[in-house]
PDB file of all heavy atoms in Angstrom:
ATOM      1  N   GLU A  39       7.424  -9.341   3.185  1.00  0.00           N
ATOM      2  CA  GLU A  39       8.083  -9.383   4.492  1.00  0.00           C
ATOM      3  C   GLU A  39       8.859 -10.680   4.744  1.00  0.00           C
ATOM      4  O   GLU A  39      10.023 -10.627   5.137  1.00  0.00           O
ATOM      5  CB  GLU A  39       7.087  -9.148   5.629  1.00  0.00           C
ATOM      6  CG  GLU A  39       6.673  -7.715   5.801  1.00  0.00           C
ATOM      7  CD  GLU A  39       7.789  -6.774   6.201  1.00  0.00           C
ATOM      8  OE1 GLU A  39       8.858  -7.213   6.675  1.00  0.00           O
ATOM      9  OE2 GLU A  39       7.593  -5.564   6.014  1.00  0.00           O
ATOM     10  N   PRO A  40       8.265 -11.851   4.545  1.00  0.00           N
ATOM     11  CA  PRO A  40       9.031 -13.080   4.803  1.00  0.00           C
ATOM     12  C   PRO A  40      10.247 -13.215   3.872  1.00  0.00           C
ATOM     13  O   PRO A  40      11.307 -13.674   4.296  1.00  0.00           O
ATOM     14  CB  PRO A  40       8.032 -14.206   4.531  1.00  0.00           C
ATOM     15  CG  PRO A  40       6.696 -13.584   4.585  1.00  0.00           C
ATOM     16  CD  PRO A  40       6.880 -12.152   4.200  1.00  0.00           C
ATOM     17  N   THR A  43      13.075 -10.707   5.064  1.00  0.00           N
ATOM     18  CA  THR A  43      13.783 -11.119   6.277  1.00  0.00           C
ATOM     19  C   THR A  43      14.681 -12.327   6.010  1.00  0.00           C
ATOM     20  O   THR A  43      15.779 -12.412   6.564  1.00  0.00           O
ATOM     21  CB  THR A  43      12.807 -11.433   7.422  1.00  0.00           C
ATOM     22  OG1 THR A  43      11.851 -12.383   6.987  1.00  0.00           O
ATOM     23  CG2 THR A  43      12.095 -10.188   7.890  1.00  0.00           C
ATOM     24  N   LYS A  44      14.251 -13.239   5.153  1.00  0.00           N
ATOM     25  CA  LYS A  44      15.083 -14.419   4.845  1.00  0.00           C
ATOM     26  C   LYS A  44      16.290 -14.062   3.987  1.00  0.00           C
ATOM     27  O   LYS A  44      17.304 -14.748   4.038  1.00  0.00           O
ATOM     28  CB  LYS A  44      14.244 -15.489   4.156  1.00  0.00           C
ATOM     29  CG  LYS A  44      13.300 -16.170   5.107  1.00  0.00           C
ATOM     30  CD  LYS A  44      12.498 -17.257   4.443  1.00  0.00           C
ATOM     31  CE  LYS A  44      11.563 -17.851   5.493  1.00  0.00           C
ATOM     32  NZ  LYS A  44      10.649 -18.835   4.944  1.00  0.00           N
ATOM     33  N   TRP A  48      16.236  -6.783   5.725  1.00  0.00           N
ATOM     34  CA  TRP A  48      16.018  -6.166   7.019  1.00  0.00           C
ATOM     35  C   TRP A  48      15.594  -7.248   7.990  1.00  0.00           C
ATOM     36  O   TRP A  48      15.395  -8.387   7.611  1.00  0.00           O
ATOM     37  CB  TRP A  48      15.002  -5.024   6.979  1.00  0.00           C
ATOM     38  CG  TRP A  48      13.657  -5.360   6.427  1.00  0.00           C
ATOM     39  CD1 TRP A  48      12.641  -6.035   7.055  1.00  0.00           C
ATOM     40  CD2 TRP A  48      13.164  -5.045   5.126  1.00  0.00           C
ATOM     41  NE1 TRP A  48      11.554  -6.148   6.236  1.00  0.00           N
ATOM     42  CE2 TRP A  48      11.847  -5.552   5.035  1.00  0.00           C
ATOM     43  CE3 TRP A  48      13.698  -4.387   4.025  1.00  0.00           C
ATOM     44  CZ2 TRP A  48      11.075  -5.406   3.902  1.00  0.00           C
ATOM     45  CZ3 TRP A  48      12.911  -4.248   2.904  1.00  0.00           C
ATOM     46  CH2 TRP A  48      11.622  -4.749   2.850  1.00  0.00           C
ATOM     47  N   TRP A  49      15.486  -6.885   9.239  1.00  0.00           N
ATOM     48  CA  TRP A  49      15.124  -7.874  10.255  1.00  0.00           C
ATOM     49  C   TRP A  49      14.227  -7.232  11.293  1.00  0.00           C
ATOM     50  O   TRP A  49      14.165  -6.018  11.414  1.00  0.00           O
ATOM     51  CB  TRP A  49      16.374  -8.452  10.926  1.00  0.00           C
ATOM     52  CG  TRP A  49      17.283  -7.407  11.509  1.00  0.00           C
ATOM     53  CD1 TRP A  49      18.290  -6.748  10.881  1.00  0.00           C
ATOM     54  CD2 TRP A  49      17.223  -6.874  12.830  1.00  0.00           C
ATOM     55  NE1 TRP A  49      18.865  -5.837  11.719  1.00  0.00           N
ATOM     56  CE2 TRP A  49      18.228  -5.899  12.936  1.00  0.00           C
ATOM     57  CE3 TRP A  49      16.423  -7.121  13.947  1.00  0.00           C
ATOM     58  CZ2 TRP A  49      18.452  -5.182  14.094  1.00  0.00           C
ATOM     59  CZ3 TRP A  49      16.658  -6.400  15.104  1.00  0.00           C
ATOM     60  CH2 TRP A  49      17.666  -5.443  15.167  1.00  0.00           C
ATOM     61  N   TRP A  50      13.552  -8.094  12.017  1.00  0.00           N
ATOM     62  CA  TRP A  50      12.659  -7.667  13.098  1.00  0.00           C
ATOM     63  C   TRP A  50      13.071  -8.413  14.358  1.00  0.00           C
ATOM     64  O   TRP A  50      13.604  -9.518  14.288  1.00  0.00           O
ATOM     65  CB  TRP A  50      11.204  -7.991  12.766  1.00  0.00           C
ATOM     66  CG  TRP A  50      10.714  -7.322  11.526  1.00  0.00           C
ATOM     67  CD1 TRP A  50      10.553  -7.888  10.309  1.00  0.00           C
ATOM     68  CD2 TRP A  50      10.332  -5.955  11.385  1.00  0.00           C
ATOM     69  NE1 TRP A  50      10.093  -6.971   9.404  1.00  0.00           N
ATOM     70  CE2 TRP A  50       9.948  -5.768  10.043  1.00  0.00           C
ATOM     71  CE3 TRP A  50      10.273  -4.870  12.246  1.00  0.00           C
ATOM     72  CZ2 TRP A  50       9.513  -4.554   9.545  1.00  0.00           C
ATOM     73  CZ3 TRP A  50       9.839  -3.664  11.748  1.00  0.00           C
ATOM     74  CH2 TRP A  50       9.464  -3.509  10.424  1.00  0.00           C
ATOM     75  N   VAL A  51      12.810  -7.826  15.498  1.00  0.00           N
ATOM     76  CA  VAL A  51      13.115  -8.481  16.772  1.00  0.00           C
ATOM     77  C   VAL A  51      12.314  -9.774  16.855  1.00  0.00           C
ATOM     78  O   VAL A  51      11.099  -9.782  16.619  1.00  0.00           O
ATOM     79  CB  VAL A  51      12.779  -7.546  17.960  1.00  0.00           C
ATOM     80  CG1 VAL A  51      13.008  -8.261  19.277  1.00  0.00           C
ATOM     81  CG2 VAL A  51      13.612  -6.273  17.870  1.00  0.00           C
ATOM     82  N   ASN A  52      12.974 -10.859  17.148  1.00  0.00           N
ATOM     83  CA  ASN A  52      12.362 -12.189  17.229  1.00  0.00           C
ATOM     84  C   ASN A  52      11.708 -12.614  15.918  1.00  0.00           C
ATOM     85  O   ASN A  52      10.830 -13.471  15.907  1.00  0.00           O
ATOM     86  CB  ASN A  52      11.345 -12.276  18.362  1.00  0.00           C
ATOM     87  CG  ASN A  52      11.978 -12.036  19.712  1.00  0.00           C
ATOM     88  OD1 ASN A  52      13.119 -12.429  19.943  1.00  0.00           O
ATOM     89  ND2 ASN A  52      11.262 -11.371  20.594  1.00  0.00           N
ATOM     90  N   SER A  53      12.106 -11.994  14.822  1.00  0.00           N
ATOM     91  CA  SER A  53      11.571 -12.298  13.481  1.00  0.00           C
ATOM     92  C   SER A  53      10.052 -12.135  13.386  1.00  0.00           C
ATOM     93  O   SER A  53       9.403 -12.761  12.564  1.00  0.00           O
ATOM     94  CB  SER A  53      11.968 -13.709  13.059  1.00  0.00           C
ATOM     95  OG  SER A  53      13.367 -13.808  12.956  1.00  0.00           O
ATOM     96  N   ILE A  54       9.496 -11.299  14.232  1.00  0.00           N
ATOM     97  CA  ILE A  54       8.050 -11.042  14.212  1.00  0.00           C
ATOM     98  C   ILE A  54       7.829  -9.627  13.691  1.00  0.00           C
ATOM     99  O   ILE A  54       8.328  -8.656  14.254  1.00  0.00           O
ATOM    100  CB  ILE A  54       7.450 -11.186  15.634  1.00  0.00           C
ATOM    101  CG1 ILE A  54       7.649 -12.617  16.134  1.00  0.00           C
ATOM    102  CG2 ILE A  54       5.984 -10.796  15.630  1.00  0.00           C
ATOM    103  CD1 ILE A  54       7.262 -12.809  17.585  1.00  0.00           C
ATOM    104  N   VAL A  55       7.070  -9.536  12.614  1.00  0.00           N
ATOM    105  CA  VAL A  55       6.772  -8.226  12.030  1.00  0.00           C
ATOM    106  C   VAL A  55       5.739  -7.526  12.921  1.00  0.00           C
ATOM    107  O   VAL A  55       4.669  -8.072  13.165  1.00  0.00           O
ATOM    108  CB  VAL A  55       6.214  -8.374  10.600  1.00  0.00           C
ATOM    109  CG1 VAL A  55       5.925  -7.011  10.011  1.00  0.00           C
ATOM    110  CG2 VAL A  55       7.177  -9.171   9.733  1.00  0.00           C
ATOM    111  N   PRO A  56       6.070  -6.329  13.422  1.00  0.00           N
ATOM    112  CA  PRO A  56       5.110  -5.632  14.282  1.00  0.00           C
ATOM    113  C   PRO A  56       3.872  -5.182  13.504  1.00  0.00           C
ATOM    114  O   PRO A  56       3.953  -4.813  12.327  1.00  0.00           O
ATOM    115  CB  PRO A  56       5.886  -4.421  14.794  1.00  0.00           C
ATOM    116  CG  PRO A  56       7.135  -4.348  14.017  1.00  0.00           C
ATOM    117  CD  PRO A  56       7.315  -5.609  13.260  1.00  0.00           C
TER     118      PRO A  56
END
Side-chain angles (χ1 to χ4, degrees):
E39 284 296 343
T43 54
K44 287 182 181 175
W48 56 77
W49 55 272
W50 300 103
V51 176
N52 298 325
S53 297
I54 298 172
V55 180

